[in-house]
Amino acid sequence: MSIPMKELQHQLLQAITTGKSSLDNFVEETLAPNRYLTQHQALSIYRRAYVARLIDCLKADFPVLLQFLGEEIFTLFAKSYIDEIPPQSYSLFDLGAQFPNYLHQTSPLDTGRGTPIELKIQATIEIAQLERLLLTISRTKEVPRETQCLPDFENFDSLMRFHLEPSS
């Protein structure tokens, strides 16, 4: 039985992007093994490369968070995020849109004690939120000069002093 091309493409995309075992029959019936790899091994190469490229995109969008957490921990969070919330848009800009919320929703409950680990978790979430906000702002169309809020350059020194504190 022949599968229409559109359905074939959709199933193959799902197999690469989700890795769901519910597609095992499709993989076995549609993909041909070669003398070196089974169908699943060949497909897993594409799956790993796909996820690696998405993680690279998240690293590019969240460079401060990457530095704060370190490569290994950032990659664990990014891979988990991609598995839980796979991309739905053709644009890679949309890939990290929910990453700060994901970090918040999957973080351990706050005991309110302000332990060092709780402060690091809170800082992680806030860094992700700030980086996403800055990325979003950088992609917005230019605002007409007459509607911009310009800083008071008379008191510029006072504008340069600020404090970062965890939100309550």
Side-chain angles (χ1 to χ4, degrees):
M1 182 168 149
S2 176
I3 301 173
M5 182 56 81
K6 188 173 183 173
E7 179 63 23
L8 183 67
Q9 289 173 330
H10 176 74
Q11 292 289 333
L12 186 58
L13 178 65
Q14 291 300 307
I16 291 171
T17 59
T18 67
K20 290 183 180 175
S21 60
S22 61
L23 297 167
D24 282 350
N25 286 342
F26 166 79
V27 170
E28 291 167 8
E29 293 171 5
T30 309
L31 302 179
N34 63 42
R35 60 184 169 161
Y36 304 106
L37 302 170
T38 68
Q39 300 99 313
H40 291 284
Q41 290 170 329
L43 186 66
S44 72
I45 292 170
Y46 285 96
R47 168 87 179 134
R48 285 193 305 270
Y50 171 77
V51 172
R53 295 300 72 77
L54 293 178
I55 291 170
D56 287 346
C57 291
L58 288 172
K59 287 176 181 177
D61 285 353
F62 298 92
V64 176
L65 185 61
L66 172 61
Q67 185 175 5
F68 182 72
L69 293 175
E71 177 95 21
E72 186 176 345
I73 293 174
F74 182 93
T75 299
L76 288 172
F77 281 133
K79 182 168 180 349
S80 177
Y81 169 70
I82 291 164
D83 288 343
E84 297 263 337
I85 306 172
Q88 299 296 313
S89 172
Y90 66 91
S91 171
L92 289 174
F93 174 71
D94 297 331
L95 173 64
Q98 296 302 313
F99 194 45
N101 289 341
Y102 175 79
L103 293 173
H104 178 70
Q105 292 170 351
T106 58
S107 68
L109 295 175
D110 184 4
T111 64
R113 288 184 246 152
T115 64
I117 190 70
E118 287 176 334
L119 294 175
K120 185 164 185 172
I121 291 168
Q122 187 63 34
T124 297
I125 294 164
E126 290 180 8
I127 290 168
Q129 290 169 334
L130 179 61
E131 284 194 290
R132 183 61 194 182
L133 179 62
L134 292 173
L135 184 63
T136 302
I137 289 169
S138 74
R139 294 203 29 141
T140 58
K141 296 198 185 286
E142 211 171 300
V143 178
R145 185 149 181 82
E146 58 274 1
T147 62
Q148 291 178 359
C149 294
L150 299 175
D152 177 6
F153 289 105
E154 301 264 331
N155 299 312
F156 192 68
D157 286 343
S158 65
L159 292 173
M160 295 308 293
R161 287 186 222 111
F162 60 94
H163 302 277
L164 296 176
E165 295 182 17
S167 63
S168 50

